[in-house]
Amino acid sequence: MALSGAMSTGISGMKAQMNALNVVGNNVANVNTYGYKPGRVTFRESIYSTEAGGSNGNEVSGGTNPRQIGYGCNISTIDLDMSSMNLEPTGLNGDVAIQGDGFFMVGDKTGVTDPESLLLSRYGDFHIDPEGYLVDGRGNVVYGFVTCNMNDDGTQSGTAGANGTDVSTQLVPIRLPLAAAADDAATGVQAGDAIFPGVVNGKNDYGTVTGDCISYANLSIGKDGKITCTNGTTKDPVVLGYVALATVTNPGGLTHMSDSYYQALDGCGQMSIYAPNGALAGRYLNNAQAGSADATLENMLGKSGAALMPGFLEASGTDLATEFANMIIYQRGYQANTRIITVTDSMLEELVNIKR
């Protein structure tokens, strides 16, 4: 039993070192992946068997310590380093990096009622797709606060129209406004003018207005997340809205999804949403009015926050020097544990050969 226990201990050590080496391999493989957050492995002791318990002693004899034998180690944690990394210039108007804490929010075109269902990313390679949506390089739609038509009291409207009256604070997919198909003398709308949506239940609502999005030029994203362009037909400036950022109480508790995405599942704490660099400060999410039940401190858009860096992307957080050093440490740990197994095997062989 003692020898088999030693072999099990060696096996557990080999598994733990191999899993740690897998993390190192993933870090090294992503050395050039924009927005990548490296993992860090910690170990913990495995179970113990107690040969004898401890005692406090008595009037005659002193106390004794317990006698326990351990059975190897396991992976304790695989932590993500979520700190901000170096920014690399790209020179592309659609590229934008987060300077500070926070994540871009992306999803599909159908809108959401629960922001925590969206994917989070630090990789801001954005462009306009053929349907006019602001998307990242994998085709996921970027969410934010769009210019829309609002009611006179500042509440959201479901009516589309020209000359967007305000920026809604309801989280929706960011899209170019539609282009007016013809002149309308009654409203003063001319063909090609931007028609902005209403915002209802997390969606851009154009009502009965149909057609294509405006043609555009000079798309840019500012440090405060403001998205602007020029209407290619009328040459008027157009403000699409603002990119939204999200933070969570415990960034290390985010669940890593495929590609460079995370999701706010159990373990990350409460999610907060804001516009970069204090834009829209003092307003409340979902266009809540001051004094209403929804105008709470948790729903207020902050006066500060991370700024965006246009024309940059965040570099990978992999430090090759650290990873190569860890690679050697884990390799030697693996090698040492194999020696436990070979020595144990040699001892078992001697035991089997006793009667020869």
Side-chain angles (χ1 to χ4, degrees):
M1 290 294 293
L3 289 178
S4 63
M7 189 168 287
S8 297
T9 298
I11 291 172
S12 73
M14 289 173 61
K15 288 181 177 179
Q17 305 302 321
M18 178 55 71
N19 285 332
L21 196 60
N22 287 338
V23 174
V24 170
N26 190 52
N27 289 342
V28 173
N30 286 283
V31 66
N32 292 316
T33 300
Y34 287 119
Y36 176 73
K37 302 299 181 183
R40 184 203 66 176
V41 174
T42 62
F43 299 95
R44 64 177 176 83
E45 300 168 276
S46 190
I47 61 173
Y48 280 82
S49 67
T50 301
E51 300 295 316
S55 67
N56 293 327
N58 52 44
E59 295 178 355
V60 177
S61 60
T64 59
N65 296 328
R67 298 197 306 272
Q68 295 177 291
I69 299 176
Y71 284 93
C73 71
N74 291 314
I75 295 293
S76 177
T77 63
I78 302 177
D79 304 310
L80 295 176
D81 182 1
M82 303 300 288
S83 57
S84 298
M85 304 301 173
N86 294 332
L87 304 184
E88 294 186 357
T90 65
L92 300 178
N93 289 338
D95 288 347
V96 61
I98 302 172
Q99 195 172 29
D101 297 333
F103 299 86
F104 299 113
M105 309 178 73
V106 300
D108 58 32
K109 300 177 180 179
T110 60
V112 296
T113 55
D114 179 13
E116 293 184 357
S117 65
L118 293 173
L119 297 174
L120 306 179
S121 173
R122 297 277 296 188
Y123 192 173
D125 57 335
F126 301 148
H127 65 274
I128 300 294
D129 79 350
E131 294 185 356
Y133 287 93
L134 184 68
V135 299
D136 66 13
R138 278 74 67 204
N140 288 300
V141 180
V142 181
Y143 274 68
F145 310 115
V146 299
T147 302
C148 70
N149 285 281
M150 305 283 285
N151 297 323
D152 292 337
D153 61 359
T155 57
Q156 63 194 27
S157 170
T159 303
N163 304 319
T165 57
D166 201 354
V167 174
S168 168
T169 59
Q170 188 171 142
L171 199 64
V172 294
I174 297 174
R175 190 186 187 192
L176 292 169
L178 298 182
D183 295 346
D184 187 340
T187 61
V189 172
Q190 297 181 347
D193 278 349
I195 303 296
F196 294 89
V199 174
V200 176
N201 298 327
K203 297 180 180 180
N204 298 316
D205 190 345
Y206 292 94
T208 58
V209 180
T210 59
D212 297 325
C213 292
I214 63 169
S215 61
Y216 72 96
N218 307 318
L219 180 74
S220 65
I221 302 174
K223 289 187 176 183
D224 58 357
K226 181 187 284 187
I227 310 163
T228 59
C229 69
T230 301
N231 187 325
T233 301
T234 65
K235 310 305 179 185
D236 294 328
V238 176
V239 178
L240 275 66
Y242 291 80
V243 173
L245 296 181
T247 59
V248 293
T249 309
N250 175 28
L254 291 170
T255 301
H256 213 151
M257 312 302 286
S258 60
D259 295 323
S260 297
Y261 298 119
Y262 304 89
Q263 195 164 11
L265 302 180
D266 292 344
C268 69
Q270 183 177 355
M271 176 186 285
S272 299
I273 302 170
Y274 62 96
N277 210 30
L280 307 180
R283 296 185 58 179
Y284 297 93
L285 286 173
N286 299 320
N287 304 307
Q289 299 298 296
S292 69
D294 293 327
T296 62
L297 184 61
E298 292 78 11
N299 286 337
M300 178 180 283
L301 299 177
K303 296 181 180 179
S304 61
L308 301 185
M309 288 294 290
F312 286 79
L313 290 175
E314 185 179 37
S316 169
T318 297
D319 182 340
L320 282 180
T322 299
E323 299 305 328
F324 285 162
N326 287 338
M327 188 185 304
I328 294 171
I329 292 171
Y330 299 147
Q331 180 189 17
R332 293 307 183 193
Y334 186 91
Q335 186 179 36
N337 279 279
T338 62
R339 295 296 182 267
I340 296 294
I341 293 176
T342 56
V343 169
T344 303
D345 178 62
S346 177
M347 295 173 68
L348 286 171
E349 184 179 11
E350 291 295 328
L351 181 63
V352 170
N353 292 333
I354 279 179
K355 294 185 65 176
R356 291 185 181 179

